[in-house]
Amino acid sequence: LTSPEFALIARHFTRVTRHTRLGVGDDAALLDAPHAGHALAVSTDLLVEGTHFLRGTDPHRLGHKVLAVNLSDLAAMGARPRWAFLAMALPEADDVWLAAFADGFHALAAEHGVDLAGGDTTRGPRGFCVTVIGEIDPLRALRRDGARPGDDVWVSGCTGEAAAGLAVLQGRCASMAPSDAARCIERLERPQPRVALGLALAGLATAAIDVSDGLLADAAHLGERSGALLSIDLVRMPQPSTLAALDPGARRDAVLSGGDDYELVFCAPRASRDAIVAAAAAAAPDCSVVTRIGRVEAADAVSRVGGARLLDRDGREIAIARAGFDHFAAAAA
Amino acid sequence: LTSPEFALIARHFTRVTRHTRLGVGDDAALLDAPHAGHALAVSTDLLVEGTHFLRGTDPHRLGHKVLAVNLSDLAAMGARPRWAFLAMALPEADDVWLAAFADGFHALAAEHGVDLAGGDTTRGPRGFCVTVIGEIDPLRALRRDGARPGDDVWVSGCTGEAAAGLAVLQGRCASMAPSDAARCIERLERPQPRVALGLALAGLATAAIDVSDGLLADAAHLGERSGALLSIDLVRMPQPSTLAALDPGARRDAVLSGGDDYELVFCAPRASRDAIVAAAAAAAPDCSVVTRIGRVEAADAVSRVGGARLLDRDGREIAIARAGFDHFAAAAA
């Protein structure tokens, strides 16, 4: 990358900001403080080629995804996203590629009212670090540690399609109809962060996490942080129709352990069931389906550390060989 | 990296926080809003092995440096650093290496009252993305665009030692005494962000930038943003005694165009000369030396876009072949 190439890159990523005092181009961005009584929610994610996305991924979709996974973290907190910062390592400056990547990034940012307020660019193996900052009433935040025994466990939308999409791209899944395969690849490459749902659940759900590692693995993270046990009923799990052609074992693996879906798993008191359904409906079209998939139990009854377990239709625990996609054991490439 | 390795890494980077509502371990960190009337200053930097640091760099120094370069951005804004976020790509999890890296990072963070509030870890080519958030009175911020014709141009400390340190490490500089070489390598690998100086200059200097690309290159950035021309007098430039053994051409190159010094170049009205010196003294030991190296002129008198130029002792412009280290033309490895 040369100086003119840097100038080129800067042009693609300098857009009008709507609520930023000082954006791209100085030593630091200046952001006005949040509304009175509100706190900041901040999340950062690093996405590296070969681990988080395949070489050759469509740049428009990649620009979308690097922001989407961060917005999903804010959604899982119940925060309203406001600003994003984009640091990029690029092996070369390809104008067509950069224009498409920037379009994908900016389109999702605009959809959620997010200003790109700063960033950094350097030469290196392709990778992206996005930091997002949102506003939140801290007393209504959807932390991971708030689940209480007796709460219901819910999931938004459905899980498993992103993992199936990866299997299709890697040639491990030839049986799927083209339209189903396209839908699964879209779920993998253009995840839709459940921002409106997270905002609707703030102050209503007791705890939440987004599904990036796999439903059971992320439910276990939530259970550990809450010191409680999340019992998931296999028969209650939403079954995506797109996965009907998979053999039952592969389908179950995808639904329970497939990563990259960016749905929300959350807990709420039984008394809030109607309110949860109403919140999901209010969040449409961001997400209009939520499913009750289990309940929170006291950790000390079964294990001392909290976590998650899977139950069959008779309430018996099902042993899980692989509790969730490990990004490292099962890298994307 | 495996799940146990992730747990190991998390342990190294989870420390007590002092002013963070919710830190490492949830979907997002929760930070309390800044003091009334204050804004947030945010900067993000990506450092990649081979471009920003040499393979084999001492991990304690590297942990220091990845935070230092970001704190330097806040210093150049006149902001008080408060929180840091650290995203890491690592080829493997080496416990000894990580412990040293974490120690270097945390030591500098503690020195500046910065909480490590979140981050991310993934497998990949070694690289680090740090995002820092500080507090600032926006009306006193040291933006790049505030320089006015008639202002003086100042630099903190001295420049050139970091570039000489890199030359030593690359075997391009055999003439230096060992103690001088060690000092220069220290400047390269353990830069000291001028945080206290930046805070002391807030509301006093009209514009500032930190020297990462080279003094003339960064002065030119400031001039461009201000629509003014910074004229630098060669004879006024501080000459580090450590560089005395270099031939005059190499010394001049290092002082004027060497990167990675992380000193501050700033502008201030002539009437503030005593106040600037007093501010620098108040910022000791962070930085007690500031030198007046030139003046700000109207851009339209010489060029239409603003920038920087170098003058000899008779006020004649000196042509510069290489106006500053281009991180890409002159990568560290």
Side-chain angles (χ1 to χ4, degrees):
Chain A
L1 304 189
T2 62
S3 294
E5 287 174 312
F6 273 106
L8 185 84
I9 291 167
R11 263 211 310 284
H12 285 303
F13 292 96
T14 307
R15 302 269 174 111
V16 173
T17 55
R18 308 208 172 272
H19 48 258
T20 303
R21 191 182 273 264
L22 179 64
V24 172
D26 215 301
D27 294 297
L30 296 183
L31 315 178
D32 285 322
H35 295 97
H38 278 54
L40 301 162
V42 185
S43 175
T44 190
D45 276 296
L46 185 59
L47 284 86
V48 177
E49 184 172 271
T51 302
H52 300 93
F53 57 91
L54 299 169
R55 190 184 171 88
T57 296
D58 173 73
H60 194 281
R61 290 185 164 204
L62 190 57
H64 171 102
K65 183 165 181 173
V66 301
L67 178 58
V69 302
N70 268 278
L71 294 183
S72 180
D73 284 321
L74 292 191
M77 213 70 196
R80 182 178 301 284
R82 299 273 285 160
W83 299 281
F85 296 80
L86 169 64
M88 304 188 285
L90 298 170
E92 79 277 315
D94 175 334
D95 193 36
V96 173
W97 193 97
L98 280 165
F101 180 90
D103 277 352
F105 188 97
H106 288 298
L108 185 65
E111 194 180 316
H112 291 281
V114 169
D115 276 356
L116 178 63
D120 192 18
T121 309
T122 187
R123 185 181 61 178
R126 198 182 309 275
F128 305 91
C129 183
V130 176
T131 303
V132 288
I133 303 181
E135 292 190 17
I136 193 167
D137 174 351
L139 302 180
R140 295 163 59 89
L142 304 175
R143 300 164 60 133
R144 291 183 181 176
D145 60 5
R148 294 294 167 258
D151 283 354
D152 295 321
V153 180
W154 299 78
V155 68
S156 66
C158 63
T159 58
E161 292 184 314
L166 179 60
V168 169
L169 289 177
Q170 293 180 328
R172 294 187 283 108
C173 185
S175 58
M176 206 177 273
S179 62
D180 290 339
R183 161 74 184 168
C184 290
I185 294 169
E186 168 109 5
R187 282 295 303 270
L188 175 71
E189 295 187 342
R190 281 181 53 83
Q192 298 300 323
R194 305 306 183 195
V195 173
L197 180 63
L199 288 167
L201 292 175
L204 194 58
T206 54
I209 190 171
D210 66 329
V211 180
S212 55
D213 294 341
L215 182 119
L216 284 178
D218 288 311
H221 293 150
L222 195 159
E224 286 158 17
R225 293 279 293 183
S226 292
L229 184 70
L230 273 58
S231 290
I232 309 297
D233 297 318
L234 178 57
V235 294
R236 290 182 178 273
M237 285 300 302
Q239 298 294 328
S241 62
T242 46
L243 307 190
L246 299 188
D247 78 68
R251 192 164 64 231
R252 202 182 85 171
D253 271 4
V255 167
L256 296 172
S257 306
D260 266 6
D261 287 307
Y262 301 102
E263 296 291 356
L264 299 185
V265 170
F266 56 97
C267 302
R270 290 171 58 97
S272 301
R273 285 180 183 176
D274 290 349
I276 293 293
V277 173
D286 180 59
C287 169
S288 57
V289 179
V290 289
T291 305
R292 192 156 47 82
I293 57 171
R295 74 213 68 82
V296 181
E297 298 176 302
D300 57 0
V302 183
S303 79
R304 303 184 65 174
V305 293
R309 60 176 185 163
L310 184 68
L311 303 182
D312 68 14
R313 64 177 64 243
D314 299 316
R316 283 178 304 222
E317 187 164 349
I318 302 173
I320 304 295
R322 192 180 60 179
F325 257 45
D326 184 319
H327 270 298
F328 297 89
Chain B
L1 305 187
T2 61
S3 294
E5 287 174 312
F6 272 105
L8 185 85
I9 292 167
R11 263 210 311 285
H12 285 303
F13 292 96
T14 307
R15 301 269 176 113
V16 172
T17 55
R18 306 206 174 274
H19 48 258
T20 302
R21 190 181 274 264
L22 178 65
V24 172
D26 215 302
D27 294 296
L30 296 184
L31 315 177
D32 285 321
H35 296 95
H38 279 54
L40 301 162
V42 185
S43 175
T44 191
D45 275 297
L46 185 60
L47 284 87
V48 176
E49 184 171 271
T51 302
H52 301 93
F53 57 92
L54 298 170
R55 190 184 171 89
T57 295
D58 173 74
H60 193 282
R61 290 185 165 204
L62 189 58
H64 172 103
K65 184 165 181 173
V66 301
L67 178 58
V69 302
N70 267 278
L71 294 182
S72 180
D73 284 320
L74 292 191
M77 212 73 198
R80 182 177 302 282
R82 298 274 284 161
W83 299 281
F85 295 80
L86 169 64
M88 303 189 285
L90 298 170
E92 79 277 312
D94 175 332
D95 193 35
V96 173
W97 193 96
L98 279 165
F101 180 91
D103 277 353
F105 188 97
H106 288 298
L108 185 64
E111 195 180 316
H112 291 282
V114 168
D115 277 355
L116 177 63
D120 192 20
T121 310
T122 187
R123 185 181 62 177
R126 201 182 308 274
F128 305 90
C129 184
V130 176
T131 303
V132 289
I133 303 181
E135 291 190 18
I136 193 166
D137 174 349
L139 303 179
R140 295 163 60 89
L142 304 175
R143 300 165 59 132
R144 292 183 180 175
D145 60 5
R148 295 292 167 259
D151 283 355
D152 295 321
V153 180
W154 300 77
V155 68
S156 66
C158 63
T159 57
E161 291 184 314
L166 179 60
V168 170
L169 290 177
Q170 293 179 328
R172 294 186 283 108
C173 184
S175 58
M176 205 177 276
S179 62
D180 290 340
R183 160 76 184 163
C184 289
I185 293 169
E186 168 108 5
R187 282 296 303 270
L188 175 70
E189 295 187 341
R190 281 180 52 83
Q192 298 299 324
R194 304 307 184 193
V195 173
L197 179 63
L199 288 167
L201 293 175
L204 195 57
T206 53
I209 190 170
D210 66 329
V211 181
S212 56
D213 294 340
L215 182 119
L216 284 178
D218 288 311
H221 293 152
L222 195 159
E224 286 158 17
R225 293 279 293 184
S226 294
L229 184 70
L230 273 59
S231 290
I232 309 296
D233 297 319
L234 178 56
V235 294
R236 291 182 178 273
M237 283 302 302
Q239 298 294 327
S241 61
T242 47
L243 307 190
L246 298 188
D247 79 66
R251 191 163 65 232
R252 202 183 84 170
D253 270 2
V255 167
L256 296 172
S257 307
D260 264 6
D261 288 306
Y262 301 100
E263 297 290 357
L264 299 186
V265 170
F266 56 97
C267 302
R270 289 170 59 97
S272 302
R273 285 179 183 176
D274 289 348
I276 294 291
V277 173
D286 180 60
C287 170
S288 57
V289 179
V290 290
T291 305
R292 192 155 47 81
I293 58 170
R295 74 212 69 79
V296 181
E297 297 176 303
D300 57 0
V302 183
S303 79
R304 304 184 66 174
V305 292
R309 60 177 185 164
L310 184 67
L311 303 181
D312 68 15
R313 65 177 65 244
D314 300 316
R316 285 178 302 222
E317 186 165 349
I318 302 173
I320 303 297
R322 193 180 57 178
F325 258 45
D326 183 320
H327 270 296
F328 298 88

